Amino acid sequence: MISGKTRFVPLLAHPARHVRTPSPFNAECLRQGLDMVMAPLDVRPDMLERTVASLREVENLAGMVITIPHKGAVAALCDRLVGAASLVGACNIVRREADGSLTGGMFDGEGFVAGLRHRGYEPAGQRALLVGAGGAASGVAHALLQAGVVELTIANRSAGKAHHLASQLAMAFPQARIAAGAADPAGYDLVVNGTALGMHAGDALPVDAGRLDAGCIVAEVVMQPDMTPLLVAAEARGCRVHKGIHMIEQQVRLLVDFLK
Ligand SMILES: NC(=O)c1ccc[n+]([C@@H]2O[C@H](COP(=O)([O-])OP(=O)(O)OC[C@H]3O[C@@H](n4cnc5c(N)ncnc54)[C@H](OP(=O)(O)O)[C@@H]3O)[C@@H](O)[C@H]2O)c1
């Protein structure tokens, strides 16, 4: 039931057609008995600043959930960043405080690791290749290191972003081997696509699937389609696959708790 007291949580995206978060988020609110509801808002990047400025004036706004391509830009519009958001300079959730100020958080990574563990895969002690250095990938990199991966290679189309992220993380996690490098999956225990590749028909694969080790686990952040071309190719090669949807399934509780 939506009442006059319902707190609103827009999901800011562009485009918005691919989003899958509202259903599990709203189900979690129902489960917890919270009068809070999420709906997607398709916001063009050139309208983002004005949209966020207007939303912060809305009294019944609990906060906003942020996805592609807005995570970095919204972080810059927050009054403060907490946890992983302050380390990676991107946020996937914003809480509106009573005074209208905005606090940004980042739970993509925690959700990703919780999803792996929920399905019986422990990343501690593993060697990981992460393709991507955007909002979701940055959160995943941080959480994998926090979970104890011993080696992390970050490969990204814009190599400068991979180098920047790797050097930031190397300062925070001096015990791990962290480097920017090539998207060659051979020799890794865990290969993660942290890019948007796979969302659209005709996208290139983020890695050469012929170079995947048969025993490795191949994980996605992309949720739509459910089985991306990378996961299909990895499964055909005998790898264990882990879908993008598992990351949000375990994350919604963290997002709802942040706004309570
Ligand atoms: N499962 C979940 O819970 C969850 C949570 C968050 C996000 N996601 C998904 O994660 C994906 C990325 O989202 P994001 O928020 O991280 O976006 P973002 O911050 O805009 O980052 C996009 C990343 O994808 C790379 N990329 C985009 N197009 C590419 C191409 N044609 N070739 C090579 N690399 C390309 C970018 O490389 P450059 O740096 O070179 O541009 C960057 O690394 C989206 O599919 C989103 O839906 C899933």
Side-chain angles (χ1 to χ4, degrees):
M1 287 292 286
I2 293 183
S3 73
K5 290 185 285 181
T6 302
R7 297 163 78 219
F8 180 45
V9 185
L11 168 60
L12 273 52
H14 182 70
R17 278 190 201 163
H18 68 281
V19 301
R20 292 179 72 180
T21 308
S23 294
F25 183 95
N26 290 331
E28 178 66 16
C29 291
L30 259 180
R31 197 187 64 78
Q32 295 196 30
L34 299 171
D35 192 3
M36 193 156 73
V37 69
M38 174 183 280
L41 289 191
D42 188 339
V43 181
R44 288 199 320 265
D46 61 308
M47 294 302 289
L48 183 70
E49 197 169 337
R50 283 165 68 180
T51 303
V52 171
S54 300
L55 285 171
R56 76 155 78 208
E57 304 303 332
V58 175
E59 293 295 335
N60 69 327
L61 188 100
M64 313 165 221
V65 169
I66 318 297
T67 191
I68 191 168
H70 298 314
K71 288 177 189 175
V74 170
L77 299 173
C78 287
D79 299 293
R80 65 197 70 78
L81 299 176
V82 294
S86 55
L87 257 174
V88 300
C91 63
N92 76 333
I93 189 159
V94 175
R95 182 173 61 227
R96 182 184 184 274
E97 309 292 357
D99 63 359
S101 66
L102 301 179
T103 303
M106 168 55 94
F107 293 99
D108 277 345
E110 266 185 72
F112 178 79
V113 168
L116 285 178
R117 287 184 169 147
H118 185 72
R119 295 186 71 244
Y121 179 78
E122 176 51 59
Q126 302 288 286
R127 291 162 304 153
L129 169 68
L130 170 68
V131 188
S138 302
V140 167
H142 182 263
L144 282 176
L145 288 161
Q146 208 151 39
V149 296
V150 290
E151 184 178 328
L152 179 69
T153 302
I154 302 168
N156 193 46
R157 174 179 62 179
S158 310
K161 275 166 69 177
H163 282 283
H164 179 69
L165 180 60
S167 58
Q168 261 184 325
L169 291 167
M171 281 189 277
F173 299 95
Q175 73 287 3
R177 290 189 301 280
I178 305 169
D184 179 359
Y188 292 95
D189 308 304
L190 171 64
V191 174
V192 185
N193 174 38
T195 75
L197 285 172
M199 287 176 79
H200 304 111
D203 278 354
L205 289 183
V207 298
D208 176 356
R211 301 267 305 156
L212 287 164
D213 289 352
C216 80
I217 179 157
V218 177
E220 265 293 358
V221 298
V222 171
M223 288 183 280
Q224 190 73 273
D226 189 56
M227 278 293 282
T228 60
L230 173 66
L231 295 185
V232 171
E235 203 167 61
R237 217 174 144 71
C239 306
R240 245 176 94 187
V241 301
H242 183 83
K243 299 175 185 176
I245 193 70
H246 300 311
M247 175 173 169
I248 197 68
E249 284 164 353
Q250 296 306 310
Q251 199 185 158
V252 285
R253 188 180 43 78
L254 303 170
L255 297 177
V256 168
D257 287 350
F258 189 74
L259 297 179
K260 276 203 300 207

